[in-house]
Amino acid sequence: MKARLQVMKFGGTSVGDASCIARTAQIVAQAARENGCVAVVSAMSGVTNRLVEAAKNAQAGNNGGAAAVVDALRGQHEAALTSLIQREEERARIRQKMEDVLAEGRRLCEGTALLRELTPRTLDAISSLGERLSAPLVAAAVRELGVPSESIEATELIVTDAFHGGAEPQMKLTREKSQARLRPLLEKGFVPVVTGFIGASKDGQLTTLGRGGSDYSATILGAAMDADEVIIWTDVDGVLTADPRLVPEARTIPVISYREAAELAYFGAKVLHPKTLNPVVQAAIPVWIRNSFAPQRPGTKITPEGRSIGGGVKALTAIRDVTLISVGGPGIVGLPDVVGRTFSTTAEVRANVLLISQSSSQNDICFIVSTADTQRTVEALRKEFAQDLAYQTVEHITVDSNIAIVAVVGENMRGIPGIAGRTFNALGRENVNIIAIAQGSSECNISFVIEEKAVKTALLATHREFGLNSSAN
Ligand code: ASP
Ligand code: MG
């Protein structure tokens, strides 16, 4: 068996059509000639969204709409199959696999339409179809290049809890199953092509790891297989210092730490699913982000300690789809339980709180949630504080969605004084008004809340202030 093992994940755009799949297969085949290689693939881009839509159609009783989506998927995958695979018997074999998956999809939609009920379990089953269609195509494309390959459904490998729509892996069982199933293939020189995004509970029910979860699948398998590295192949050059659409001089960061990458992922930089790094931290397996459309570029390497040079700041990120909720009024001064009640309420409705800030006068507790969570959070708060609002001990619960969070991230900011000062001076010079500020005690990021329309100015000013466009960072 080859000495090194790489787990490579290809996202939706990297398998978006026949030519992308061909490019992906080249990368896999080349890697497999040098190393052991496990590929993990997403659904073709846009497919999962359409499957979720089909499920919603079915739930509304519109089975016709759902069936139309399934038919369109057949067309799309058939077109890729025809252009990728030369021999008709081979095509027929893959087509049969795809037809089985599509037939299952149709039955799931019919059942849903009949009952007009979409359980989280059924939604998982329907949304998983995209990966189950793409993996056989990619494996076939790899075989076309003369490298033996087999597609495998991750329900055979990844064991999770039963939390549908966001399942968590059980690593010990996952390791046992993955080793037992994949080792023999690797020993024979095969490339297993595994469906991303999905797993199965102990009793065999299909689960999903949450939207965008294929990254997570790759690191779960990387850890389970004791891989030497995990490579996330995507459509950007790596982790950038800022969003290049807003900051044209943004550049790729060559080396970044787990902490920094996780912080960026958490604060909305779209390159990684936020849980991606959890499985590999313990074994310190490096994770690369690379561009499958430009494989000659080196990408970003994510390592336990990153690289400790530069002025402390590594990257900037902004989250826009967020809303500031504020609970307060003079009457809350001295009310001991307002903070507690506020956040037990957000926890009850499972709102993801991204930032909290309380002024020392205690007049206001401000916090930020995703805009999608706002309505249910505010309703729950109004209920919780109904009495207090009536007696005006709590004067207001207000909502502002024209805001954004900007986070300045860098592990080496710790202990370097003046970063906050420089940030806010730079913003002041550009007249950016700061609504709230938070710094975690980890000192891995400083985040601040500004008006949404000031995001670009704020990013440009801070990017320049910390010289992020120069390669010294
Ligand atoms: N196909 C899934 C999604 O779109 C998983 C992934 O792409 O990572 O959410
Ligand atoms: Mg994706």
Side-chain angles (χ1 to χ4, degrees):
M1 187 156 87
K2 316 233 170 74
R4 287 174 60 74
L5 178 64
Q6 293 180 316
V7 174
M8 299 190 158
K9 177 258 174 175
F10 295 87
T13 49
S14 303
V15 295
D17 59 22
S19 69
C20 297
I21 293 179
R23 202 175 301 118
T24 285
Q26 287 285 359
I27 294 173
V28 171
Q30 170 150 8
R33 287 185 191 110
E34 289 157 23
N35 300 302
C37 178
V38 175
V40 175
V41 296
S42 291
M44 293 172 88
S45 62
V47 166
T48 313
N49 285 343
R50 279 188 280 144
L51 286 166
V52 171
E53 199 183 298
K56 298 266 147 79
N57 271 324
Q59 182 184 27
N62 174 8
N63 191 41
V69 173
V70 173
D71 282 341
L73 290 183
R74 170 185 296 106
Q76 180 179 0
H77 289 81
E78 176 64 37
L81 178 65
T82 314
S83 101
L84 284 165
I85 308 303
Q86 302 311 318
R87 284 186 314 123
E88 184 47 42
E89 316 95 89
E90 172 75 348
R91 272 190 206 161
R93 224 168 55 79
I94 311 295
R95 189 176 296 127
Q96 188 54 51
K97 271 199 176 187
M98 298 199 314
E99 283 305 329
D100 292 346
V101 174
L102 291 165
E104 201 178 319
R106 243 183 341 261
R107 280 197 303 276
L108 285 162
C109 289
E110 275 161 19
T112 303
L114 203 62
L115 296 170
R116 305 229 173 169
E117 188 192 4
L118 180 62
T119 61
R121 182 167 140 182
T122 307
L123 178 59
D124 269 359
I126 295 175
S127 21
S128 73
L129 299 170
E131 273 72 9
R132 297 176 60 203
L133 291 168
S134 65
L137 268 180
V138 173
V142 172
R143 285 195 297 272
E144 288 286 290
L145 301 174
V147 173
S149 176
E150 182 179 323
S151 66
I152 294 180
E153 300 201 348
T155 42
E156 291 187 58
L157 309 175
I158 297 181
V159 182
T160 70
D161 61 16
F163 190 82
H164 288 281
E168 278 298 323
Q170 303 192 336
M171 286 309 290
K172 192 165 166 287
L173 292 170
T174 299
R175 165 181 278 273
E176 281 165 23
K177 284 201 151 195
S178 305
Q179 292 277 355
R181 180 76 172 91
L182 301 181
R183 276 288 156 212
L185 284 175
L186 290 165
E187 271 156 22
K188 284 191 290 178
F190 270 67
V191 177
V193 177
V194 181
T195 56
F197 184 45
I198 65 184
S201 61
K202 249 195 250 165
D203 57 2
Q205 281 304 322
L206 184 145
T207 54
T208 66
L209 306 172
R211 293 304 309 273
S214 299
D215 295 339
Y216 196 24
S217 308
T219 51
I220 292 169
L221 288 175
M225 295 303 293
D226 302 315
D228 293 281
E229 57 189 13
V230 175
I231 306 177
I232 311 272
W233 290 97
T234 177
D235 56 3
V236 292
D237 283 344
V239 180
L240 300 193
T241 50
D243 182 342
R245 285 166 304 183
L246 298 172
V247 182
E249 62 267 35
R251 45 166 211 95
T252 310
I253 304 169
V255 186
I256 189 170
S257 73
Y258 286 158
R259 285 286 300 272
E260 291 167 333
E263 204 89 17
L264 286 170
Y266 178 74
F267 278 109
K270 288 270 152 52
V271 280
L272 276 184
H273 184 278
K275 290 181 190 162
T276 307
L277 297 168
N278 300 351
V280 293
V281 167
Q282 214 186 353
I285 301 168
V287 176
W288 290 85
I289 316 266
R290 298 188 58 186
N291 191 342
S292 73
F293 297 84
Q296 73 285 1
R297 301 205 186 124
T300 297
K301 187 178 190 183
I302 309 174
T303 65
E305 61 291 325
R307 183 187 289 166
S308 58
I309 54 165
V313 174
K314 259 308 181 8
L316 311 174
T317 176
I319 330 184
R320 291 156 178 277
D321 293 333
V322 289
T323 297
L324 180 77
I325 300 180
S326 113
V327 175
I332 75 165
V333 178
L335 265 190
D337 58 348
V338 176
V339 176
R341 284 163 64 199
T342 301
F343 294 110
S344 39
T345 306
T346 58
E348 255 159 50
V349 297
R350 284 204 171 209
N352 185 15
V353 177
L354 293 158
L355 183 148
I356 301 173
S357 141
Q358 181 183 23
S359 58
S360 57
S361 70
Q362 301 179 7
N363 272 347
D364 258 308
I365 300 161
C366 306
F367 60 95
I368 294 196
V369 297
S370 324
T371 298
D373 293 346
T374 303
Q375 200 189 344
R376 66 173 199 280
T377 308
V378 170
E379 276 166 12
L381 285 168
R382 294 235 153 93
K383 211 154 125 210
E384 171 64 33
F385 288 107
Q387 288 274 337
D388 311 75
L389 287 163
Y391 293 112
Q392 300 210 335
T393 43
V394 171
E395 213 173 59
H396 63 253
I397 296 177
T398 52
V399 166
D400 181 355
S401 57
N402 295 319
I403 54 120
I405 304 179
V406 172
V408 176
V409 172
E411 187 145 28
N412 302 319
M413 290 179 359
R414 213 181 334 230
I416 299 181
I419 293 197
R422 281 174 69 188
T423 306
F424 297 122
N425 271 331
L427 295 172
R429 278 198 300 275
E430 301 292 333
N431 284 320
V432 175
N433 180 35
I434 297 163
I435 301 166
I437 301 174
Q439 175 175 25
S441 59
S442 68
E443 294 186 52
C444 214
N445 87 71
I446 298 170
S447 27
F448 49 91
V449 181
I450 57 178
E451 275 182 290
E452 186 165 17
K453 62 179 198 290
V455 165
K456 187 176 168 132
T457 314
L459 289 174
L460 285 169
T462 15
H463 202 268
R464 204 173 313 122
E465 175 64 33
F466 292 105
L468 293 181
N469 55 329
S470 86
S471 56
N473 275 278

Short mmCIF file of all heavy atoms in Angstrom, two decimals, residues 17-19 21-22 44 73-96 98-99 133 136-138 140-141 144:
data_model
loop_
_atom_site.label_atom_id
_atom_site.label_comp_id
_atom_site.label_asym_id
_atom_site.label_seq_id
_atom_site.Cartn_x
_atom_site.Cartn_y
_atom_site.Cartn_z
N ASP A 17 -20.43 20.18 -13.64
CA ASP A 17 -20.86 19.64 -14.94
C ASP A 17 -19.78 18.69 -15.45
O ASP A 17 -18.79 18.44 -14.75
CB ASP A 17 -21.15 20.76 -15.94
CG ASP A 17 -19.93 21.64 -16.19
OD1 ASP A 17 -18.79 21.18 -15.96
OD2 ASP A 17 -20.10 22.79 -16.62
N ALA A 18 -19.97 18.17 -16.67
CA ALA A 18 -19.05 17.15 -17.15
C ALA A 18 -17.61 17.66 -17.18
O ALA A 18 -16.69 16.95 -16.76
CB ALA A 18 -19.47 16.70 -18.54
N SER A 19 -17.40 18.91 -17.61
CA SER A 19 -16.01 19.34 -17.72
C SER A 19 -15.39 19.54 -16.33
O SER A 19 -14.21 19.25 -16.13
CB SER A 19 -15.88 20.59 -18.60
OG SER A 19 -16.45 21.69 -17.94
N ILE A 21 -16.22 17.75 -13.70
CA ILE A 21 -15.98 16.40 -13.19
C ILE A 21 -14.71 15.82 -13.83
O ILE A 21 -13.90 15.17 -13.17
CB ILE A 21 -17.20 15.48 -13.43
CG1 ILE A 21 -18.37 15.98 -12.57
CG2 ILE A 21 -16.88 14.02 -13.08
CD1 ILE A 21 -19.65 15.18 -12.73
N ALA A 22 -14.52 16.11 -15.11
CA ALA A 22 -13.31 15.61 -15.78
C ALA A 22 -12.06 16.19 -15.12
O ALA A 22 -11.07 15.49 -14.90
CB ALA A 22 -13.36 15.97 -17.26
N MET A 44 -23.72 17.86 -7.44
CA MET A 44 -23.47 18.89 -8.45
C MET A 44 -24.09 20.20 -7.97
O MET A 44 -25.13 20.19 -7.31
CB MET A 44 -24.10 18.48 -9.80
CG MET A 44 -23.44 17.26 -10.43
SD MET A 44 -24.33 16.64 -11.89
CE MET A 44 -23.60 17.61 -13.20
N LEU A 73 -33.23 16.43 -12.75
CA LEU A 73 -31.96 15.89 -12.25
C LEU A 73 -31.49 14.73 -13.12
O LEU A 73 -30.31 14.59 -13.39
CB LEU A 73 -32.12 15.41 -10.80
CG LEU A 73 -32.30 16.51 -9.76
CD1 LEU A 73 -32.35 15.90 -8.37
CD2 LEU A 73 -31.17 17.52 -9.85
N ARG A 74 -32.45 13.92 -13.56
CA ARG A 74 -32.07 12.82 -14.44
C ARG A 74 -31.38 13.37 -15.68
O ARG A 74 -30.30 12.92 -16.07
CB ARG A 74 -33.27 11.98 -14.86
CG ARG A 74 -32.86 10.99 -15.96
CD ARG A 74 -33.98 10.17 -16.55
NE ARG A 74 -34.57 9.30 -15.55
CZ ARG A 74 -35.74 9.51 -14.99
NH1 ARG A 74 -36.47 10.55 -15.36
NH2 ARG A 74 -36.22 8.68 -14.09
N GLY A 75 -32.01 14.40 -16.28
CA GLY A 75 -31.45 15.00 -17.50
C GLY A 75 -30.04 15.51 -17.27
O GLY A 75 -29.11 15.22 -18.05
N GLN A 76 -29.87 16.23 -16.18
CA GLN A 76 -28.56 16.84 -15.89
C GLN A 76 -27.48 15.77 -15.70
O GLN A 76 -26.37 15.89 -16.24
CB GLN A 76 -28.72 17.68 -14.60
CG GLN A 76 -27.46 18.37 -14.17
CD GLN A 76 -27.69 19.21 -12.91
OE1 GLN A 76 -28.81 19.26 -12.37
NE2 GLN A 76 -26.63 19.84 -12.43
N HIS A 77 -27.80 14.71 -14.95
CA HIS A 77 -26.79 13.69 -14.68
C HIS A 77 -26.54 12.81 -15.90
O HIS A 77 -25.42 12.38 -16.14
CB HIS A 77 -27.18 12.87 -13.45
CG HIS A 77 -27.05 13.64 -12.16
ND1 HIS A 77 -28.01 14.53 -11.75
CD2 HIS A 77 -26.05 13.70 -11.25
CE1 HIS A 77 -27.61 15.10 -10.61
NE2 HIS A 77 -26.43 14.60 -10.28
N GLU A 78 -27.60 12.61 -16.66
CA GLU A 78 -27.46 11.81 -17.89
C GLU A 78 -26.54 12.54 -18.87
O GLU A 78 -25.66 11.93 -19.50
CB GLU A 78 -28.86 11.56 -18.49
CG GLU A 78 -28.87 10.84 -19.83
CD GLU A 78 -28.33 9.41 -19.77
OE1 GLU A 78 -28.58 8.72 -18.75
OE2 GLU A 78 -27.63 8.99 -20.73
N ALA A 79 -26.71 13.86 -18.97
CA ALA A 79 -25.87 14.64 -19.89
C ALA A 79 -24.40 14.51 -19.48
O ALA A 79 -23.52 14.31 -20.33
CB ALA A 79 -26.29 16.11 -19.88
N ALA A 80 -24.13 14.61 -18.18
CA ALA A 80 -22.75 14.49 -17.71
C ALA A 80 -22.22 13.09 -18.01
O ALA A 80 -21.10 12.93 -18.49
CB ALA A 80 -22.67 14.79 -16.22
N LEU A 81 -23.06 12.09 -17.77
CA LEU A 81 -22.66 10.70 -17.99
C LEU A 81 -22.25 10.49 -19.45
O LEU A 81 -21.20 9.91 -19.75
CB LEU A 81 -23.83 9.78 -17.61
CG LEU A 81 -23.62 8.29 -17.82
CD1 LEU A 81 -22.54 7.77 -16.89
CD2 LEU A 81 -24.92 7.52 -17.57
N THR A 82 -23.12 10.97 -20.35
CA THR A 82 -22.86 10.77 -21.78
C THR A 82 -21.54 11.40 -22.20
O THR A 82 -20.78 10.84 -22.97
CB THR A 82 -24.00 11.40 -22.62
OG1 THR A 82 -25.22 11.01 -22.02
CG2 THR A 82 -23.95 10.94 -24.05
N SER A 83 -21.28 12.60 -21.66
CA SER A 83 -20.06 13.23 -22.15
C SER A 83 -18.80 12.68 -21.46
O SER A 83 -17.72 12.77 -22.02
CB SER A 83 -20.20 14.76 -22.09
OG SER A 83 -19.55 15.26 -21.01
N LEU A 84 -18.96 12.09 -20.27
CA LEU A 84 -17.77 11.63 -19.54
C LEU A 84 -17.35 10.20 -19.91
O LEU A 84 -16.18 9.87 -19.88
CB LEU A 84 -18.02 11.67 -18.04
CG LEU A 84 -17.98 13.03 -17.36
CD1 LEU A 84 -18.60 12.96 -15.97
CD2 LEU A 84 -16.55 13.55 -17.28
N ILE A 85 -18.35 9.34 -20.18
CA ILE A 85 -18.05 7.91 -20.28
C ILE A 85 -18.21 7.45 -21.73
O ILE A 85 -19.25 7.70 -22.35
CB ILE A 85 -18.99 7.09 -19.37
CG1 ILE A 85 -18.96 7.65 -17.93
CG2 ILE A 85 -18.64 5.60 -19.38
CD1 ILE A 85 -17.60 7.69 -17.28
N GLN A 86 -17.21 6.80 -22.24
CA GLN A 86 -17.22 6.41 -23.65
C GLN A 86 -18.01 5.12 -23.92
O GLN A 86 -18.86 5.09 -24.80
CB GLN A 86 -15.77 6.21 -24.16
CG GLN A 86 -14.90 7.45 -24.02
CD GLN A 86 -15.58 8.69 -24.58
OE1 GLN A 86 -16.21 8.65 -25.63
NE2 GLN A 86 -15.49 9.82 -23.85
N ARG A 87 -17.74 4.07 -23.14
CA ARG A 87 -18.31 2.77 -23.46
C ARG A 87 -19.75 2.65 -23.02
O ARG A 87 -20.10 3.01 -21.89
CB ARG A 87 -17.49 1.66 -22.81
CG ARG A 87 -16.16 1.39 -23.54
CD ARG A 87 -15.44 0.21 -22.96
NE ARG A 87 -15.41 0.28 -21.50
CZ ARG A 87 -15.88 -0.66 -20.68
NH1 ARG A 87 -16.44 -1.74 -21.16
NH2 ARG A 87 -15.79 -0.51 -19.38
N GLU A 88 -20.61 2.12 -23.89
CA GLU A 88 -22.03 2.06 -23.58
C GLU A 88 -22.33 1.13 -22.39
O GLU A 88 -23.18 1.44 -21.58
CB GLU A 88 -22.84 1.71 -24.84
CG GLU A 88 -24.35 1.71 -24.67
CD GLU A 88 -24.95 2.94 -23.94
OE1 GLU A 88 -24.52 4.08 -24.21
OE2 GLU A 88 -25.84 2.75 -23.07
N GLU A 89 -21.61 -0.03 -22.27
CA GLU A 89 -21.95 -0.92 -21.13
C GLU A 89 -21.67 -0.22 -19.80
O GLU A 89 -22.43 -0.36 -18.85
CB GLU A 89 -21.14 -2.22 -21.08
CG GLU A 89 -20.92 -3.00 -22.33
CD GLU A 89 -19.59 -2.63 -22.95
OE1 GLU A 89 -18.55 -3.24 -22.63
OE2 GLU A 89 -19.63 -1.69 -23.79
N GLU A 90 -20.56 0.51 -19.80
CA GLU A 90 -20.22 1.23 -18.57
C GLU A 90 -21.28 2.30 -18.27
O GLU A 90 -21.77 2.42 -17.15
CB GLU A 90 -18.82 1.85 -18.73
CG GLU A 90 -18.38 2.81 -17.62
CD GLU A 90 -17.98 2.13 -16.31
OE1 GLU A 90 -18.24 0.91 -16.14
OE2 GLU A 90 -17.44 2.83 -15.43
N ARG A 91 -21.68 3.03 -19.31
CA ARG A 91 -22.75 4.01 -19.13
C ARG A 91 -24.00 3.36 -18.56
O ARG A 91 -24.62 3.87 -17.63
CB ARG A 91 -23.14 4.61 -20.48
CG ARG A 91 -22.32 5.80 -20.85
CD ARG A 91 -22.95 6.43 -22.07
NE ARG A 91 -21.94 7.13 -22.81
CZ ARG A 91 -22.05 7.48 -24.08
NH1 ARG A 91 -23.14 7.17 -24.77
NH2 ARG A 91 -21.08 8.14 -24.66
N ALA A 92 -24.35 2.21 -19.13
CA ALA A 92 -25.59 1.55 -18.72
C ALA A 92 -25.52 1.17 -17.23
O ALA A 92 -26.50 1.27 -16.50
CB ALA A 92 -25.84 0.31 -19.58
N ARG A 93 -24.34 0.76 -16.81
CA ARG A 93 -24.17 0.35 -15.42
C ARG A 93 -24.39 1.54 -14.47
O ARG A 93 -25.10 1.45 -13.48
CB ARG A 93 -22.74 -0.19 -15.24
CG ARG A 93 -22.64 -1.46 -14.43
CD ARG A 93 -21.24 -2.06 -14.57
NE ARG A 93 -20.19 -1.11 -14.22
CZ ARG A 93 -19.84 -0.80 -12.98
NH1 ARG A 93 -20.44 -1.36 -11.96
NH2 ARG A 93 -18.88 0.07 -12.75
N ILE A 94 -23.77 2.67 -14.81
CA ILE A 94 -23.92 3.87 -13.97
C ILE A 94 -25.36 4.37 -14.04
O ILE A 94 -25.95 4.77 -13.04
CB ILE A 94 -22.98 5.01 -14.46
CG1 ILE A 94 -21.57 4.50 -14.65
CG2 ILE A 94 -23.00 6.19 -13.49
CD1 ILE A 94 -20.89 4.04 -13.42
N ARG A 95 -25.92 4.33 -15.25
CA ARG A 95 -27.29 4.81 -15.42
C ARG A 95 -28.22 4.02 -14.51
O ARG A 95 -29.11 4.59 -13.87
CB ARG A 95 -27.71 4.65 -16.89
CG ARG A 95 -29.02 5.30 -17.21
CD ARG A 95 -29.33 5.20 -18.70
NE ARG A 95 -28.38 5.92 -19.53
CZ ARG A 95 -27.72 5.37 -20.56
NH1 ARG A 95 -27.89 4.10 -20.86
NH2 ARG A 95 -26.88 6.09 -21.26
N GLN A 96 -28.00 2.71 -14.42
CA GLN A 96 -28.84 1.88 -13.57
C GLN A 96 -28.76 2.33 -12.10
O GLN A 96 -29.76 2.47 -11.42
CB GLN A 96 -28.44 0.40 -13.71
CG GLN A 96 -29.39 -0.55 -13.01
CD GLN A 96 -30.84 -0.33 -13.47
OE1 GLN A 96 -31.13 -0.30 -14.66
NE2 GLN A 96 -31.76 -0.12 -12.51
N MET A 98 -27.99 5.27 -11.06
CA MET A 98 -28.65 6.57 -10.91
C MET A 98 -30.17 6.40 -10.93
O MET A 98 -30.88 7.05 -10.18
CB MET A 98 -28.18 7.53 -12.02
CG MET A 98 -26.69 7.79 -11.95
SD MET A 98 -26.09 9.27 -12.81
CE MET A 98 -26.88 9.17 -14.37
N GLU A 99 -30.66 5.51 -11.80
CA GLU A 99 -32.11 5.28 -11.85
C GLU A 99 -32.64 4.77 -10.51
O GLU A 99 -33.72 5.14 -10.08
CB GLU A 99 -32.47 4.30 -12.97
CG GLU A 99 -32.46 4.88 -14.36
CD GLU A 99 -33.34 6.12 -14.53
OE1 GLU A 99 -34.38 6.24 -13.83
OE2 GLU A 99 -32.98 6.99 -15.34
N LEU A 133 -26.07 10.66 -6.41
CA LEU A 133 -25.98 10.67 -7.88
C LEU A 133 -24.59 11.07 -8.36
O LEU A 133 -24.11 10.56 -9.37
CB LEU A 133 -27.01 11.66 -8.44
CG LEU A 133 -28.47 11.27 -8.31
CD1 LEU A 133 -29.37 12.46 -8.63
CD2 LEU A 133 -28.81 10.09 -9.22
N PRO A 136 -21.22 8.14 -8.05
CA PRO A 136 -20.96 7.15 -9.09
C PRO A 136 -20.39 7.77 -10.38
O PRO A 136 -19.55 7.16 -11.05
CB PRO A 136 -22.35 6.55 -9.37
CG PRO A 136 -23.17 6.86 -8.17
CD PRO A 136 -22.63 8.13 -7.59
N LEU A 137 -20.84 9.00 -10.69
CA LEU A 137 -20.31 9.68 -11.89
C LEU A 137 -18.83 9.97 -11.74
O LEU A 137 -18.04 9.75 -12.67
CB LEU A 137 -21.02 11.03 -12.05
CG LEU A 137 -22.27 11.10 -12.90
CD1 LEU A 137 -22.79 12.54 -12.91
CD2 LEU A 137 -21.96 10.65 -14.32
N VAL A 138 -18.45 10.49 -10.56
CA VAL A 138 -17.04 10.84 -10.37
C VAL A 138 -16.18 9.57 -10.38
O VAL A 138 -15.13 9.54 -11.02
CB VAL A 138 -16.85 11.64 -9.06
CG1 VAL A 138 -15.38 11.87 -8.76
CG2 VAL A 138 -17.59 12.98 -9.14
N ALA A 140 -16.74 6.85 -11.93
CA ALA A 140 -16.65 6.38 -13.31
C ALA A 140 -15.64 7.23 -14.09
O ALA A 140 -14.85 6.70 -14.89
CB ALA A 140 -18.02 6.43 -13.98
N ALA A 141 -15.66 8.53 -13.85
CA ALA A 141 -14.73 9.42 -14.56
C ALA A 141 -13.28 9.12 -14.17
O ALA A 141 -12.37 9.20 -15.01
CB ALA A 141 -15.07 10.88 -14.27
N GLU A 144 -12.22 6.07 -16.04
CA GLU A 144 -11.91 6.39 -17.44
C GLU A 144 -10.45 6.75 -17.63
O GLU A 144 -9.89 6.61 -18.70
CB GLU A 144 -12.76 7.57 -17.94
CG GLU A 144 -14.22 7.27 -18.18
CD GLU A 144 -14.47 6.44 -19.44
OE1 GLU A 144 -14.30 6.95 -20.56
OE2 GLU A 144 -14.82 5.27 -19.26
#
